[in-house]
Amino acid sequence: MAMPTIFVDADACPIKDEVERVARRHNLPVVYVANQGARPSRDPLIRHVAVAATPDAADDWIVDNLQPADIVITADILLAGRAVALSALVLGPNGHRHSPDSIGMAVAMRNLKQQLREAGQDRGINAAFGPRDRAMFLQAMHEAAQEAIRLKK
């Protein structure tokens, strides 16, 4: 039985500790993908992949290595859409689960916000990431891990 892998779009990821806690609980491998170097982990479940500092290099690497029922953690809506299309379980850092039913609206909202920023109508400031967000992510991550394990059986 293949175990699901957790792929993390690691540039500016605020929930690495929570990802690793759930991964250890379920004995799931984690792959952090970023275009900047990271200190290697001694934990055999944790792997760091450095990609070129080009647009979408981390996204492309994740998509190229993704299997159905793997887990993807990202704040990037376009990567989330690509991963959902490949039958991955996709979570945002706030614990929001993206699905085939919700990703279209999320992409549309991302595009609208980008247009508003470009027109000077939106400053693009996100709400602060706090303890409630961490708790929601931790719960959603645990549920996603259980579901991914069931789907891989």
Side-chain angles (χ1 to χ4, degrees):
M1 169 181 77
M3 292 299 285
T5 298
I6 302 168
F7 292 94
V8 181
D9 184 6
D11 289 325
C13 178
I15 39 76
K16 291 177 184 172
D17 290 340
E18 290 80 1
V19 169
E20 291 177 20
R21 187 161 57 173
V22 172
R24 285 186 193 102
R25 183 180 305 152
H26 296 282
N27 200 36
L28 299 177
V30 177
V31 180
Y32 291 109
V33 183
N35 59 20
Q36 48 188 298
R39 189 174 339 150
S41 173
R42 291 187 173 152
D43 187 328
L45 289 176
I46 309 298
R47 181 173 152 217
H48 293 271
V49 173
V51 296
T54 58
D56 300 324
D59 300 4
D60 293 342
W61 192 96
I62 290 170
V63 168
D64 289 345
N65 290 276
L66 192 59
Q67 298 294 316
D70 284 342
I71 300 169
V72 175
I73 310 302
T74 185
D76 182 329
I77 296 300
L78 297 181
L79 172 57
R82 293 171 70 189
V84 164
L86 293 172
S87 300
L89 286 70
V90 183
L91 296 175
N94 62 359
H96 176 78
R97 172 97 176 256
H98 296 286
S99 70
D101 294 333
S102 69
I103 197 66
M105 180 60 75
V107 170
M109 288 302 296
R110 175 217 174 261
N111 293 340
L112 175 62
K113 287 181 179 184
Q114 181 177 350
Q115 289 175 346
L116 290 173
R117 280 191 304 276
E118 290 169 356
Q121 300 297 314
D122 182 4
R123 296 186 331 202
I125 299 172
N126 294 326
F129 190 83
R132 184 168 185 264
D133 297 303
R134 288 186 190 285
M136 289 176 61
F137 175 82
L138 194 58
Q139 179 63 36
M141 183 66 205
H142 178 69
E143 291 169 4
Q146 291 177 320
E147 182 177 345
I149 290 167
R150 277 194 311 274
L151 290 171
K152 288 278 187 167
K153 285 186 177 180

